[in-house]
Amino acid sequence: MAIGTPTAHRTLDALIIGAGVAGLYQLHLLREQGLNVRVFETAADVGGTWYWNRYPGARFDSEAYIYQYLFSEELYKNWSWSQRFPAQPEIEQWMHYVADALDLRRDISFSTTVTSAEYDEKSGRWTVRTDSGEVVDTQFLITCCGMLSAPLQDLFPGQQDFAGQIFHTSRWPREGAEIAGKRVGVIGTGATGIQVIQTIVDEVADLTVFVRTPQYALPMKNPSYSADDVAAYKARFEELRSTLPHTFTGFEYDFRYVWDELTPEQRREVLEEIYENGSLQLWLASFAEMFFDEAVSDEISEFVREKMRARLVDPELCRLLIPEDYGFGTHRVPLETGYLEVYHRPNVTAVGVRENPISRIVPEGVLLADGTLYELDVIILATGFDAGTGALTRIDIRGVGGRSLKDDWSRDIRTTMGLMVHGYPNMLTTAVPLAPSAALCNMTTCLQQQTEWIDECIRYMRKNGYTVIEATEEGEAAWVAHHDETAAANLISKTNSWYTGSNVEGKPRRVLSYTGGVGTYREKTLEAAAAGYKGFELR
Ligand SMILES: Cc1cc2nc3c(=O)[nH]c(=O)nc-3n(C[C@H](O)[C@H](O)[C@H](O)COP(=O)(O)OP(=O)(O)OC[C@H]3O[C@@H](n4cnc5c(N)ncnc54)[C@H](O)[C@@H]3O)c2cc1C
């Protein structure tokens, strides 16, 4: 039978793409309201990010106890974390625990990729096709495809000719990769690259790190939890449930200080104290002014640089690894454990590839523009993702009049509150641009809010006899304008990074994540719903 020939025909009320944090909860919610719903997932099991990212050292940067679902006290309290920032295997186990507890797997088709989705204006329904040849007719198409799930893995000419092995961090083999005693190169020093580098350094023979954009890394404090620690955070369940959705970033903490109200000495004291906390608090719970005021940004950036200089010591390492040309917090801030000291080891070489970029991969290793060859057995691509848009533009999605989402977003990345896109009725989205997402957000907080909004929206439609919802052109224009205005005031908009789409050649520039705050975003989406879905047309 030819590939793509339909082997089944299924009719659903809702089809969800993706079985990560968002997709699992969305399935549970929609099943609870009695919909005939099914999830399609490329991976062989649940977990999303925590299924795919099994590279050495993968772990949370969010405190584990705030990354849980908050809709069920029982679900929350029947799981206990071993550490403040646990590693991927434990997080994946937690996702299995959730799938088991809610009996979700029976409604998930694993190892199945959605390849296309086409909207039919007459019926107001979607026809969805998968790589297994299945054709599904569904009223609602709900994308829970992830903000950071479309890996950038074919970046360098000659990759296919490399004589050794190449791994993208998010496609790390389940059975593990043989790196012990090998000459290993890591390309990329973002949050993921840092976790890999500090973890594999003891195992490999030689480690070559190709550094393009240095990062302001903060030290992580990651204590193991005793039974008392676990009991203490569980006792905070109600407090966390009432706090997290309303803070600026969906973390338990919020910006606490006003720059102008403190003397220089007091500011220094505050920065030192928060730095010692060993979490993302220096970024997300110190001074909000760092995002808006260049002078404050300079001062806090210099504070972090000073800390890094003291550890790196060597001027050449400082030049390569300490950022000078963008402000602290305008990139995703990584947490590290002994990362900077890695570069003092005799088997580690840091290679600057900003002025002298990688020109190609050759059978022996990595070749730079000036002709220098680094001979390697294994190349690890910590090169990140086509964030926010990539997962959806890799599906052939056709809306009203056959318009293509890939084409639309190649011109201009627009959504209505990150929940819908004008021209794509009955397609509801999570973790897409113009909503709070992996940038500046504890994702479980944001994803719970988005999936709950979608659940309520569908309930409302069914109760009131509507079958189709579409974001209006004017509503979308208003949201995009508000988003852009908020983003323009934020220094994030001035830095090149995946936050602004500049890690992908040709991607239209826009701050991808909503920067008005998680609590504010939540209020605005709820206000729109309460006003009879203002900005959306129901029919
Ligand atoms: C290494 C790493 C560390 C992170 N650490 C944190 C952290 O500490 N705190 C935090 O808040 N966030 C973190 N994040 C962000 C993380 O992505 C979110 O926290 C969250 O897991 C996203 O859940 P999701 O359900 O939106 O998407 P995902 O977990 O990405 O799941 C999406 C799923 O959709 C599937 N899918 C996509 N397209 C298709 C298709 N066409 N057909 C079928 N299936 C498809 C994918 O296979 C994937 O399994 C991290 C991300 C990465 C990559």
Side-chain angles (χ1 to χ4, degrees), residues 65 76 226-237 239-240:
Y65 57 87
Y76 185 92
S226 65
D228 285 350
D229 294 329
V230 170
Y233 81 65
K234 286 185 182 176
R236 296 181 56 212
F237 174 75
E239 176 211 328
L240 292 171

Side-chain angles (χ1 to χ4, degrees), residues 483-516:
H483 172 92
D484 283 352
E485 193 185 351
T486 314
N490 197 308
L491 296 174
I492 286 176
S493 65
K494 303 197 167 51
T495 295
N496 286 336
S497 78
W498 64 261
Y499 282 7
T500 49
S502 49
N503 63 329
V504 177
E505 216 184 309
K507 189 163 172 170
R509 192 179 179 98
R510 172 159 274 135
V511 172
L512 296 177
S513 190
Y514 177 67
T515 52

Side-chain angles (χ1 to χ4, degrees), residues 206-271:
D206 289 302
L207 182 59
T208 307
V209 180
F210 298 92
V211 187
R212 191 176 60 179
T213 310
Q215 303 289 331
Y216 293 97
L218 298 178
M220 168 187 277
K221 283 200 178 144
N222 192 14
S224 294
Y225 280 159
S226 65
D228 285 350
D229 294 329
V230 170
Y233 81 65
K234 286 185 182 176
R236 296 181 56 212
F237 174 75
E238 278 305 337
E239 176 211 328
L240 292 171
R241 177 147 75 173
S242 58
T243 313
L244 295 175
H246 305 287
T247 62
F248 194 78
T249 56
F251 281 71
E252 72 197 286
Y253 33 74
D254 231 330
F255 298 108
R256 277 179 283 169
Y257 303 94
V258 178
W259 188 259
D260 285 339
E261 286 176 2
L262 303 184
T263 64
E265 294 71 32
Q266 286 170 325
R267 290 173 194 151
R268 179 81 197 191
E269 240 172 67
V270 163
L271 292 174

Side-chain angles (χ1 to χ4, degrees), residues 78-89:
N78 284 347
W79 179 262
S80 303
W81 296 106
S82 69
Q83 281 182 300
R84 187 186 191 196
F85 300 108
Q88 176 272 338

Side-chain angles (χ1 to χ4, degrees), residues 306-380:
E306 223 179 82
K307 297 284 183 194
M308 292 179 73
R309 264 185 229 121
R311 287 171 59 193
L312 280 170
V313 184
D314 177 74
E316 179 55 11
L317 286 178
C318 290
R319 189 185 72 77
L320 282 177
L321 295 163
I322 301 179
E324 293 288 345
D325 58 354
Y326 67 90
F328 171 73
T330 61
H331 254 276
R332 159 75 148 81
V333 173
L335 295 178
E336 54 81 29
T337 309
Y339 164 68
L340 299 175
E341 286 71 18
V342 161
Y343 294 95
H344 295 149
R345 307 262 194 116
N347 66 332
V348 178
T349 311
V351 179
V353 290
R354 183 172 274 194
E355 297 94 26
N356 182 20
I358 294 173
S359 79
R360 61 184 297 115
I361 308 279
V362 292
E364 302 81 14
V366 171
L367 187 68
L368 303 192
D370 72 352
T372 314
L373 171 68
Y374 288 89
E375 293 191 17
L376 300 166
D377 305 311
V378 175
I379 296 173
I380 299 175

Side-chain angles (χ1 to χ4, degrees), residues 329-453:
T330 61
H331 254 276
R332 159 75 148 81
V333 173
L335 295 178
E336 54 81 29
T337 309
Y339 164 68
L340 299 175
E341 286 71 18
V342 161
Y343 294 95
H344 295 149
R345 307 262 194 116
N347 66 332
V348 178
T349 311
V351 179
V353 290
R354 183 172 274 194
E355 297 94 26
N356 182 20
I358 294 173
S359 79
R360 61 184 297 115
I361 308 279
V362 292
E364 302 81 14
V366 171
L367 187 68
L368 303 192
D370 72 352
T372 314
L373 171 68
Y374 288 89
E375 293 191 17
L376 300 166
D377 305 311
V378 175
I379 296 173
I380 299 175
L381 299 175
T383 43
F385 304 90
D386 183 355
T389 53
L392 293 191
T393 56
R394 290 177 188 191
I395 306 171
D396 185 12
I397 298 177
R398 302 280 167 168
V400 173
R403 67 195 285 174
S404 145
L405 189 65
K406 184 178 174 194
D407 290 350
D408 282 349
W409 278 358
S410 73
R411 287 185 289 272
D412 193 10
I413 300 168
R414 303 166 73 82
T415 73
T416 299
M417 300 176 155
L419 292 165
M420 291 200 84
V421 184
H422 171 67
Y424 300 83
N426 282 1
M427 182 177 87
L428 293 136
T429 51
T430 65
V432 301
L434 282 74
S437 49
L440 292 173
C441 173
N442 175 50
M443 279 300 278
T444 313
T445 310
C446 303
L447 294 172
Q448 283 177 103
Q449 202 259 315
Q450 291 168 24
T451 45
E452 284 168 4
W453 191 94

Side-chain angles (χ1 to χ4, degrees), residues 17-23 40-43 47-50 52-53 55 60-62 67 112-114 144-146 148-149 192 332 385 395 431 438 441-443 447:
I17 314 176
V21 168
F40 288 82
E41 167 58 62
T42 301
T49 293
W50 306 110
W52 292 110
N53 289 271
Y55 59 83
F60 273 149
D61 284 337
S62 293
Y67 194 88
T112 309
T113 296
V114 169
C144 296
C145 297
L148 299 173
S149 62
T192 285
R332 159 75 148 81
F385 304 90
I395 306 171
C441 173
N442 175 50
M443 279 300 278
L447 294 172

